[in-house]
Amino acid sequence: MQFNPARLELAMDRRRLTARALAELADVTVVSLSQIKTGKQVPQETTVQRIAGALDYPVAFFHGADVDTLPAAAVSFRSLSSVTQRERKAAIAAGGIAYLVADWLHSKYTLPSPKLIDAGAERDPATAARALRQAWGLGEKPISNLIKLLEAKGIRVFSLAENTKNVDAFSCWRNDEPYIFLNTFKTTERSRFDAAHELGHLILHKHGGSNQGPQAESEANSFASSFLMPRADVLSEMPRVQSLQQILRGKKRWGVSAAALTYRLHKIGLITDWQYRNFNIQLRTDYGSSEPDSMQRETSTLWKMVLDDLWDQKLTRADIATGLNIPHGELENLLFGLTAASDRPPLRNDRPALSVV
């Protein structure tokens, strides 16, 4: 195929490079690069090679078809006010690469179908959380591995190894298929809450797009809190809270941060305003920004099964990247923190339905 300017734009966003910076690295003029980006000039192959080398992307990547992009209105960034334009573009471009990987998955395997409810008309986070738990047959029990649960219910989960605190997570719908992107730079507890937060966006804000401002963010937070820490279970397990140690023990049950559990206890009236302030002061004084007794990182069941199957075929992740003409590092970024050799096999009824096409 002919050189595709849209793919150049995507690669530049992923590398967070301006036209001027790329022109200098690739030894082309800014004017020429501008014309190449807008499609007014078809670059010679030697020029493409220099551009590809500067971006550390395979030359073949730039001769592929258009890549689906994530519309800004459909993408929810939890920390929108602190995300820089370059960080935002880089994260959204990672979503485009993820679409390529997801399409490859669909071509090779039969993936679980989405099993989400549409709670957009309700817009009450606590009610939506209870309804989804009921639809998924969870009852009031804690969720041991949220990533595995999401994958089993047809949500495509990818990681974002952006190495920045400003991009927590985001979510979107594509062709009636839900996606969640998690920054695994965070603690496990934070990533679980992020995932539940984005799940809230997917079922509460599907029709208007999840990027709807502070109200949507507040609703997604409330959903995550109710979904991970069901009111009835919290009331049963922690009817009287008198010390921070009780909270530190309790957070392990629901797989949340001590701060998130403290907030939930205050929200449902199990601790007073004074206790809430005091416990938060204790947490900041004793632990600062770190999470006490943090959980082991959650991993992906779906990707473990895929990679095991590929291994049986004598194929690796590098072969996936080569087949898609993307840098191996980009695939690693999308799977970082989601795959681990030490991961225990899931219970049979928690495994996603996955078969070779």
Side-chain angles (χ1 to χ4, degrees), residues 123-132 204 219 222-223 226-227 264:
R123 291 297 287 263
D124 177 67
T127 301
R130 288 194 300 272
L132 186 60
L204 288 167
E219 290 171 353
S222 295
F223 172 90
S226 297
F227 187 73
R264 180 66 168 154

Side-chain angles (χ1 to χ4, degrees), residues 217-278:
E217 291 302 294
S218 178
E219 290 171 353
N221 273 335
S222 295
F223 172 90
S225 186
S226 297
F227 187 73
L228 292 174
M229 296 168 280
R231 179 185 178 90
D233 195 41
V234 175
L235 289 171
S236 174
E237 293 293 323
M238 303 187 71
R240 296 187 63 185
V241 182
Q242 297 178 320
S243 71
L244 181 61
Q245 289 305 312
Q246 287 176 270
I247 293 175
L248 297 183
R249 289 192 298 269
K251 82 183 195 74
K252 297 179 182 179
R253 175 177 177 81
W254 295 288
V256 297
S257 68
L261 179 54
T262 302
Y263 179 86
R264 180 66 168 154
L265 292 169
H266 181 245
K267 192 72 174 178
I268 60 180
L270 290 178
I271 60 175
T272 64
D273 292 348
W274 182 87
Q275 286 177 303
Y276 179 63
R277 288 193 298 270
N278 189 51

Side-chain angles (χ1 to χ4, degrees), residues 282-353:
Q282 283 184 261
L283 284 171
R284 287 194 298 269
T285 301
D286 295 346
Y287 302 102
S289 59
S290 62
E291 180 61 37
D293 197 14
S294 188
M295 299 170 58
Q296 184 177 353
R297 177 69 60 187
E298 290 189 349
T299 54
S300 164
T301 299
L302 186 146
W303 273 107
K304 184 179 187 301
M305 295 172 71
V306 168
L307 295 176
D308 284 349
D309 183 65
L310 291 176
W311 183 257
D312 291 340
Q313 302 175 48
K314 304 188 184 307
L315 298 173
T316 66
R317 279 179 278 198
D319 293 307
I320 301 176
T322 300
L324 292 173
N325 295 317
I326 61 175
H328 186 200
E330 291 289 20
L331 183 62
E332 287 294 305
N333 284 346
L334 292 170
L335 305 187
F336 178 75
L338 296 181
T339 57
S342 60
D343 187 31
R344 294 178 297 174
L347 296 175
R348 185 175 299 275
N349 59 1
D350 284 338
R351 291 177 181 170

Side-chain angles (χ1 to χ4, degrees), residues 203-218:
I203 71 168
L204 288 167
H205 311 127
K206 176 180 179 180
H207 301 291
S210 54
N211 187 9
Q212 298 182 41
Q215 181 180 344
E217 291 302 294
S218 178

Side-chain angles (χ1 to χ4, degrees), residues 24-145:
E24 184 175 341
L25 289 171
D27 192 24
V28 298
T29 67
V30 176
V31 173
S32 292
L33 185 60
S34 176
Q35 291 179 332
I36 292 170
K37 281 182 61 181
T38 57
K40 295 179 180 178
Q41 176 182 325
V42 178
Q44 296 182 348
E45 197 58 26
T46 54
T47 302
V48 177
Q49 290 172 357
R50 292 202 303 274
I51 290 174
L55 291 167
D56 195 21
Y57 266 69
V59 170
F61 174 81
F62 300 98
H63 295 286
D66 286 349
V67 178
D68 281 355
T69 57
L70 285 69
V75 178
S76 157
F77 286 92
R78 288 194 58 200
S79 301
L80 186 61
S81 61
S82 59
V83 177
T84 67
Q85 188 71 1
R86 286 188 185 179
E87 287 172 335
R88 180 178 173 83
K89 284 185 174 182
I92 290 177
I97 300 294
Y99 284 169
L100 292 176
V101 176
D103 289 343
W104 176 88
L105 268 177
H106 276 296
S107 72
K108 301 293 183 181
Y109 301 94
T110 300
L111 304 178
S113 299
K115 298 179 178 64
L116 273 68
I117 63 173
D118 185 350
E122 176 63 44
R123 291 297 287 263
D124 177 67
T127 301
R130 288 194 300 272
L132 186 60
R133 276 183 158 269
Q134 182 177 8
W136 285 359
L138 300 177
E140 301 290 331
K141 66 180 181 180
I143 299 168
S144 59
N145 189 315

